[in-house]
Amino acid sequence: MTIGSTPVKYRIKIDQDLCMLCERCIENCSYGVFRREGQKIVPDFRKCTACHRCIAMCPRDAITLEEKPNDYRSHPLWTREAREAIYNQANSGRIILSGMGNAKDYPVIFDRLVLDACQVTNPSIDPLREPMELRTYIGKKPRKIEINTVKEGDYELKTKIAPNLKLETPVMIGHMSYGAISLNAQLAMAKAVNKVGTFMGTGEGGLHKDLYPYQNNMIVQIASGRFGVDINYLERGAAIEIKIGQGAKPGIGGHLPGEKVAEDVSKTRMIPLHSDAISPAPHHDIYSIEDLAQLVRSLKEATEWKKPVFVKIAAVHNVAAIAAGIAKSSADAVVIDGFRGGTGAAPRVFRDHVGIPVEAAIAAVDDKLREQGIRNEVSIIASGGLRDSADVTKAIALGADAVYIGTAALIAMGCRVCGSCYRGLCPWGIATQRPELVSRINTDEAAQNVENLINGWTLELAELMGAAGINSIESLRGNRDRLRGYLLDEGIMEVLDVKMIGA
Amino acid sequence: MCGIISVIDRSRNKMNGESIKNALSLMDERGSGEGAGYAVYGVYPEYADYYALHIFYDDLAEPKAAVEDLLEKWGKVEYDEEIPTYDQERLKKDHTPWRYFFKPDGSFFSGSTEEDSIIHIVNKINTEIDGALVFSSGKNIGIFKASGWPEDVANFYRIEDYEGYIWLAHNRYPTNTSGWWGGAHPFNLLDWSVIHNGEITSYGTNRRYIESFDYKCTMETDTEVVAYLADLLGRKHGLPEDLTVKALAPPFWDEIDKMSDDKKELYTALRMAYGPALMNGPFAIVIANAEGIIGFTDRIKLRPLVAAEAGDRLYISSEEAAIRRMENNLDRVWMPSAGEPVIGRFNK
Ligand code: SF4
Ligand code: SF4
């Protein structure tokens, strides 16, 4: 006991005048913070993760939570986090795990980009009264099209168009696997994307049979562990995604602990009950772009060239060259996941320190593909910490075709970004497999929430486009003229290739 | 703002510049005195096989020597001269316009076409030689433009001395960029000339798209991309004019969804392949090439466009009054719908 315990992070207060001893807090807190002692609810602050479940469920608004101020000696370098990480590792000798996205205070580039609007000379367009087109096709596009003239003014298409995903809004939901999140969470999102005409990813956890009715809106994922992958799985997906890397943990694989591998998860993933599901960092059949191309083509071959194949990589410093290689591997889309991407569980050191912001990655990839004259032949999907419709609009203006959201969709279902997903006790029923917690999600209600979120963002995107005098998403894509840098340094402005405010 | 007017005589009867000057001047309130210009097709019959390069020089020493070195290297200049100009009180002569009748040397460009070589030379001069700007580079066509009012620019070049079977004219009201000689319309590349009223809000996307095909945007304005897009889609990709227009100003998805299966497939493919070429924002445009003219507006017609016919002549303009200044006895006058091309081709 050299080190002893560290100070508690959150303080929970119960207003005894308001509390009616209904014990809902006890019931709702899966971390076991509350207990009843006689006529009183007594909290054990130390266990609290600030997930807000108790607060949201208290019928009397009797619970308050506050972050406890730092009571270490203040120091600019040896922050509370730095010190506590050391205590933690001095005790455990292990890698420190964390959930959700990057928690470091890096400047957010999106917040230093502002959008533009029309005034006078160029009328803005009112999406309520004028058509506004957000339909987006994801997949390979021909460089040019060839036609036969049947007779004057009447043509026949000669070019064969490769299969594409047709999106009614450029917002999709990224891959979160069954195992990392609950089936109810997946089901709710599946219902939502089906309703709004967009897509979601299965993650690397296979496709549970309850999701079959929504398979036309699902993108199946293949990670290095190949969990749940067979021809039935491939054929069910609307598209196939090969996951090479993930923004929250570039360069490392995944690990789902055996205790989360309950019966249904084991069946869906096709692995033994309670065995650890480890997807290694590399795919052991991919060590070069040629190898990747082989996998892309064999997946296409297996599904009779009827499905687009995406390749997902984490945004890292040479992302542009890698993406160009991917584009040449016959892949139909490249997914770039920035360093703010969320995760169920990642070593903290990776989550907070590896990778680059997605804004810079989109710009660099879009530039590179243009330089090679192939930009329009492959789609770019951007993800990693998109928080609102402004982020989506900016990502598209920088060069993305569409985006994946992750954390935002979870927040729409209640997630409070407590960052404790890796513990499997998510009180909102999202990042857990415990049936009593999973059942907290009513899939219809949660689906409605996710649908509302995507619809809300889509309406705002349409308004932002209208303000810029643009009525089709094609004209926003890569339109960096519509962005201006505000308090960004020259180096970043150069990478983003945007002008300064006032210019 | 901005005023545009164009005319084609389908039987190739030549017209001199007098009446189009008057028509354009009628639309003076659509401009600001910062740019006007005229394009005429069929103007250099004696040099019809040569590319007529019109170049603005800032001075006649260094830039001119550099351009001539380059032209000597890449081909042969058959004849060259200063384009005659006549001082105007209200027009400041910022540049000296010069014209060269030039033929590129085929042996330099094995594997690419003669047209590609001209594009290469134009790009090279416009991006690498300070003080020189190629503003017209087609065969048997010429552009005459400057910063000034329509009548002053016309008198500066004595536009009535030129004749041809297609005329395009433009009166500029710059809102995006400064009024400078290079920024005046018509814009041109090879055979393609463009006049445009409006603002292209998709310019950032269009520019990045066209630059990935090695075109270089040097005019600081949104209109030049239209000429390059027309060249890419029309010449290089071989789309017929009406489909080129449908790529640049495509039908809405709602309309495409209602088409017959064949057409739906064609129009979906067109939007998928040419999405980045789609032009957004308010515009009315006329594009000309050696085969004729084509006029169209944006997809919701935020800028006016009128067409009219009289005998063999087809007129397209911002205003009916301007057309009537050229020809009052019209057989037919109509307002084309949004995105619908009006095509005028020579009789076979
Ligand atoms: S962990 Fe969540 S439910 Fe439990 S006390 Fe803290 S905020 Fe409330
Ligand atoms: S999913 Fe659950 S555990 Fe994860 S951050 Fe959100 S609330 Fe916390």
Side-chain angles (χ1 to χ4, degrees), chain B residues 42-165:
Chain B
V43 65
Y44 298 130
E46 64 280 31
Y47 294 108
D49 291 338
Y50 294 85
Y51 291 92
L53 304 180
H54 286 194
I55 300 183
F56 287 139
Y57 284 127
D58 288 359
D59 71 65
L60 294 179
E62 274 165 52
K64 185 160 175 283
V67 165
E68 287 172 4
D69 268 2
L70 196 127
L71 294 179
E72 283 312 320
K73 208 157 55 191
W74 295 84
K76 186 167 170 289
V77 173
E78 180 62 23
Y79 176 72
D80 76 287
E81 64 178 0
E82 184 176 342
I83 298 177
T85 55
Y86 306 86
D87 287 349
Q88 299 300 313
E89 223 175 277
R90 292 190 298 179
L91 194 158
K92 193 172 149 279
K93 186 170 174 178
D94 289 339
H95 311 275
T96 307
W98 208 277
R99 64 187 156 213
Y100 296 86
F101 296 96
F102 173 77
K103 196 172 258 176
D105 180 343
S107 61
F108 277 114
F109 305 109
S110 57
S112 62
T113 62
E114 195 176 87
E115 284 95 342
D116 289 334
S117 68
I118 296 292
I119 294 180
H120 181 79
I121 291 166
V122 171
N123 278 340
K124 223 172 151 59
I125 295 175
N126 290 353
T127 55
E128 291 172 18
I129 302 178
D130 258 359
L133 184 95
V134 185
F135 62 98
S136 175
S137 53
K139 280 181 177 171
N140 205 5
I141 81 157
I143 291 205
F144 303 91
K145 62 184 186 182
S147 287
W149 291 98
E151 55 277 26
D152 292 337
V153 174
N155 294 338
F156 178 71
Y157 289 106
R158 263 198 207 140
I159 212 70
E160 60 270 28
D161 292 350
Y162 294 95
E163 48 178 38
Y165 30 72

Side-chain angles (χ1 to χ4, degrees), chain A residues 121-122 133 135 144-145 152 155 164 366-367 370 376 468-469 471-472 474-475 477-481 497, chain B residues 175 199 201 203-205 208 212 237 242 252-253 257 270-275 278 280 282 299 303 345:
Chain A
T121 60
N122 177 2
E133 303 192 298
R135 187 183 294 180
K144 59 179 210 172
I145 64 165
E152 172 98 38
Y155 309 104
N164 269 251
D366 183 72
D367 282 354
R370 277 174 204 277
N376 196 39
N471 62 12
S472 81
E474 291 104 310
S475 301
R477 191 177 307 140
N479 197 343
R480 300 189 197 168
D481 273 34
D497 189 20
Chain B
T175 47
E199 256 181 56
T201 50
Y203 173 64
T205 302
R208 290 169 64 75
S212 73
H237 290 187
D242 49 345
F252 286 97
W253 285 118
D257 288 344
L270 206 59
R271 273 194 84 160
M272 284 168 79
Y274 295 112
L278 186 160
N280 230 302
R299 311 191 302 156
R303 287 288 190 273
R345 257 187 233 126

Side-chain angles (χ1 to χ4, degrees), chain B residues 149-202:
Chain B
W149 291 98
E151 55 277 26
D152 292 337
V153 174
N155 294 338
F156 178 71
Y157 289 106
R158 263 198 207 140
I159 212 70
E160 60 270 28
D161 292 350
Y162 294 95
E163 48 178 38
Y165 30 72
I166 295 177
W167 278 90
L168 259 53
H170 184 266
N171 178 17
R172 183 164 191 231
Y173 200 126
T175 47
N176 261 346
T177 47
S178 58
W180 68 298
W181 285 38
H185 303 201
F187 277 92
N188 164 278
L189 183 75
L190 298 169
D191 269 0
W192 305 98
S193 305
V194 178
I195 46 176
H196 162 215
N197 165 22
E199 256 181 56
I200 299 178
T201 50
S202 54

